[in-house]
Amino acid sequence: MNTCRFLSVVVLLGTFFLFRKVQGGVPAPPNYFDDQLVDHVASSHRHGHERWSQRFYLSHEYFKGPGSPIFVIMGGEGAIEPSTGFMYPFILQLAQTFGAMVLQPEHRFYGQSQPVSPAEIERARDDGKPDPRLKLLTVEQALHDAVRLIHFVRDRVRCSRDRFSPRYCPVITVGGSYPGFLSAMARLRFPGVVDIAYAASAPMKFYAQQVDQYAYYNHIGTVAEQAFTGCSQDVRRALDDFRTVYESGQSKINETAIGICSGTVPAYIKDPATFVQEVLMMVGYTFANHNMAFYPPSNQTHLGRACQTFASPSLSTLDQLKTFLVASLAPRSTENQPDEETCFDMRKQLPSGRNATISAGDWSGVGTGASGESWDFQTCTSLVESIGFAGDDGNQDAYGISMFPRRDWNISWLTSHCQQRFGDAVTPMPNTLVNAWNFDHLVAAGATRIVFTNGALDGWSVSGISHDLSDTLLALTFPNGAHHSDLAGHFPSVETDTVDIVEGQAKVQTILATWLAGLPSARTDHNSPAANISTKLQ
């Protein structure tokens, strides 16, 4: 197979890749690595020697050649289309500062990066065989993908693999959210390949099973109060009224009353109780999405405007709910489409695959379509997240303010969901990763040179590393930050970013420069970019 397809397009990046104010990414052309292994772990497995084509993105516009760093942006639970390209503009600016290359692989089983076909997965199910994703869609396999691709790219640009060589190219992994966890694990699991990790909004404690199930949504309720005073009680009042109307028998499933297009209620919803449960889940994960984007914080964000909808005295509580759902979930307008939609298709909230439901493995929302199916699978196996709704009338407790009716999460519910969805062989294993890798005790596990960042306004911050664990396991918390806000923007960007984010980005740059300058390769080459930057920053 031709493993060099990326070389034909990499030359385009010099003219294509310019810094632009693109929220959430910098578009770029894709590359493909055709020599990726289907199964890195079990050579006796039937896929052990098979290959597949992994999509990735590469920029060496600022790369100063062997001896310079490589930033590896870890792909996560979604497709990475060329229109998104490089997900984190800040990292591209760091690349310019450090004279670095930027490499970004798409995660296996997302987008175009498919080790096995959907048809093979369906055949296994039809034949009563275990889902092949049990062995293939794992954190370990994804980390091995990154390592193999790193070796390939480093060898192609003539970087040495010898850490003491001046031609050694240090690797810095980067990620936000689940990719932040991957970034930290790449450093922990492959310290001979990955030199430094930058992990933003990484849900370390969720995957270590150390977070109370109510902490996530209660923190979101607390932040909603900051967005608009009284939000939590206003939302709770509307949801309680909705439950009363639909669960009391006063109304059959009249979906249009709350903005759902007629005839689009998924077929598995056959009674008012299930309908209410799934609508409440949509409300919950929609607020979760608005919370992640609550930056810079103001009442004009999606979160602030959602809260104002539920406070509107001119709308009934059901109309408030309808307005919120349509504004958040209806397709956005285009040139050929009216500016305002009057309803949304509830079926489009489903992930793909058999027996799909809106309440799925991740109660912060698994997403829709094929990516939603893959994330549902991952949260049904080793990436178990204990996330529930506390209820209790909007009161504040140790975890914040509850703004949603009570619904407890438990492993029995999750197991039932996962087995109905993916077959009896799929069983949640919440402690498998942490028991094997000991990332609940990173110092004892021997981890070094990882910087963790969190936005204090982010629901996921309840699961983050919030204080320094050692001199080389550092944590930064941004009071005004939301979900990996430090990665999403440009540096410095005083027009749009808060002071704490701008200062935090400067601290991250200093930390990375200091660690790079301390590597053996930098100590043997005093003219290396890292050594020069570290000297300037001191």
Side-chain angles (χ1 to χ4, degrees):
M1 294 185 180
N2 179 13
T3 61
C4 304
R5 281 198 282 164
F6 86 96
L7 292 175
S8 64
V9 297
V10 127
V11 295
L12 298 175
L13 287 170
T15 55
F16 181 91
F17 176 60
L18 300 172
F19 289 130
R20 284 168 286 173
K21 290 283 184 179
V22 180
Q23 183 63 33
V26 177
N31 310 288
Y32 297 88
F33 178 42
D34 293 332
D35 197 39
Q36 192 58 271
L37 288 177
V38 172
D39 189 351
H40 300 270
V41 179
S43 59
S44 60
H45 186 261
R46 64 177 295 263
H47 295 294
H49 301 289
E50 295 179 3
R51 302 294 195 269
W52 62 286
S53 183
Q54 183 175 24
R55 181 162 64 175
F56 70 99
Y57 296 84
L58 186 72
S59 170
H60 60 12
E61 181 179 5
Y62 301 108
F63 185 52
K64 293 186 177 180
S68 300
I70 301 174
F71 284 97
V72 180
I73 299 175
M74 305 296 286
E77 68 277 31
I80 307 175
E81 301 298 344
S83 57
T84 297
F86 295 99
M87 295 187 292
Y88 309 134
F90 175 49
I91 299 306
L92 294 166
Q93 290 188 267
L94 287 180
Q96 184 175 12
T97 300
F98 287 100
M101 180 185 293
V102 182
L103 170 65
Q104 178 180 269
E106 185 175 60
H107 195 295
R108 58 171 48 209
F109 288 98
Y110 292 93
Q112 292 186 0
S113 299
Q114 302 294 326
V116 298
S117 69
E120 181 173 340
I121 295 170
E122 287 299 308
R123 283 196 299 272
R125 185 79 177 264
D126 290 340
D127 294 342
K129 298 178 181 178
D131 194 310
R133 290 172 294 189
L134 280 169
K135 292 181 178 291
L136 302 179
L137 180 48
T138 67
V139 174
E140 186 172 16
Q141 297 278 13
L143 293 177
H144 277 285
D145 286 342
V147 167
R148 185 173 174 84
L149 182 58
I150 288 167
H151 283 320
F152 170 69
V153 171
R154 281 207 297 202
D155 291 347
R156 289 284 168 165
V157 296
R158 303 183 185 279
C159 293
S160 173
R161 296 194 186 190
D162 178 2
R163 271 204 163 103
F164 291 89
S165 169
R167 298 179 64 84
Y168 178 76
C169 296
V171 170
I172 306 167
T173 54
V174 183
S177 197
Y178 166 53
F181 173 74
L182 290 176
S183 176
M185 292 303 97
R187 171 65 185 147
L188 177 66
R189 298 292 295 154
F190 297 95
V193 178
V194 176
D195 299 277
I196 297 168
Y198 176 7
S201 301
M204 303 293 293
K205 294 181 181 178
F206 265 129
Y207 301 144
Q209 308 305 312
Q210 294 176 325
V211 182
D212 183 273
Q213 67 165 296
Y214 304 129
Y216 177 77
Y217 273 113
N218 279 16
H219 189 65
I220 289 173
T222 301
V223 174
E225 282 294 305
Q226 291 183 240
F228 194 83
T229 302
C231 183
S232 60
Q233 291 190 355
D234 291 336
V235 171
R236 188 61 188 277
R237 184 184 306 112
L239 297 182
D240 284 345
D241 286 352
F242 162 69
R243 292 175 67 200
T244 298
V245 168
Y246 281 81
E247 290 181 345
S248 66
Q250 296 179 40
S251 175
K252 295 181 179 179
I253 299 181
N254 177 14
E255 65 269 28
T256 60
I258 58 168
I260 300 170
C261 298
S262 179
T264 70
V265 174
Y268 75 91
I269 299 176
K270 301 183 183 302
D271 58 82
T274 305
F275 178 69
V276 168
Q277 173 179 280
E278 298 300 65
V279 169
L280 293 177
M281 184 60 70
M282 290 192 299
V283 173
Y285 67 60
T286 301
F287 265 100
N289 289 335
H290 291 338
N291 167 266
M292 288 192 289
F294 186 55
Y295 178 79
S298 82
N299 59 12
Q300 294 306 305
T301 59
H302 288 301
L303 180 60
R305 290 196 292 269
C307 288
Q308 292 171 58
T309 296
F310 284 100
S312 174
S314 64
L315 298 174
S316 70
T317 51
L318 285 186
D319 282 339
Q320 290 170 354
L321 178 58
K322 176 180 180 178
T323 301
F324 165 76
L325 289 172
V326 171
S328 301
L329 302 179
R332 296 299 89 207
S333 61
T334 65
E335 292 181 0
N336 301 317
Q337 194 174 1
D339 288 338
E340 294 186 7
E341 295 294 320
T342 58
C343 66
F344 70 98
D345 188 333
M346 191 175 180
R347 296 168 300 189
K348 292 185 178 179
Q349 294 302 301
L350 292 169
S352 61
R354 301 186 189 187
N355 302 323
T357 53
I358 288 171
S359 294
D362 177 358
W363 281 13
S364 75
V366 298
T368 61
S371 291
E373 179 181 358
S374 290
W375 188 239
D376 198 5
F377 189 90
Q378 286 194 266
T379 54
C380 271
T381 47
S382 62
L383 296 177
V384 175
E385 299 165 347
S386 175
I387 298 175
F389 301 89
D392 298 330
D393 302 321
N395 294 324
Q396 185 162 359
D397 62 15
Y399 303 108
I401 299 174
S402 171
M403 61 190 287
F404 305 105
R406 186 173 188 125
R407 185 180 177 189
D408 291 339
W409 178 96
N410 60 69
I411 197 70
S412 297
W413 181 92
L414 182 64
T415 302
S416 176
H417 162 76
C418 297
Q419 293 184 345
Q420 182 176 10
R421 183 95 158 92
F422 301 113
D424 291 344
V426 177
T427 302
M429 301 171 289
N431 296 304
T432 297
L433 285 181
V434 68
N435 288 346
W437 297 350
N438 300 314
F439 54 83
D440 53 339
H441 296 96
L442 285 171
V443 175
T448 60
R449 294 197 298 270
I450 304 174
V451 56
F452 295 96
T453 63
N454 285 282
L457 302 179
D458 180 19
W460 294 100
S461 66
V462 302
S463 177
I465 304 296
S466 58
H467 62 277
D468 294 350
L469 302 179
S470 73
D471 291 341
T472 58
L473 294 173
L474 305 180
L476 302 175
T477 299
F478 310 123
N480 294 301
H483 201 52
H484 52 75
S485 302
D486 47 318
L487 289 176
H490 295 253
F491 171 71
S493 181
V494 294
E495 303 91 356
T496 57
D497 279 318
T498 55
V499 172
D500 55 326
I501 291 294
V502 174
E503 292 179 348
Q505 289 175 324
K507 290 179 181 177
V508 168
Q509 179 174 305
T510 301
I511 290 167
L512 298 182
T514 301
W515 287 346
L516 283 169
L519 295 177
S521 57
R523 291 197 293 269
T524 61
D525 182 7
H526 298 293
N527 293 316
S528 70
N532 291 333
I533 293 167
S534 181
T535 299
K536 292 176 182 179
L537 293 173
Q538 288 175 356

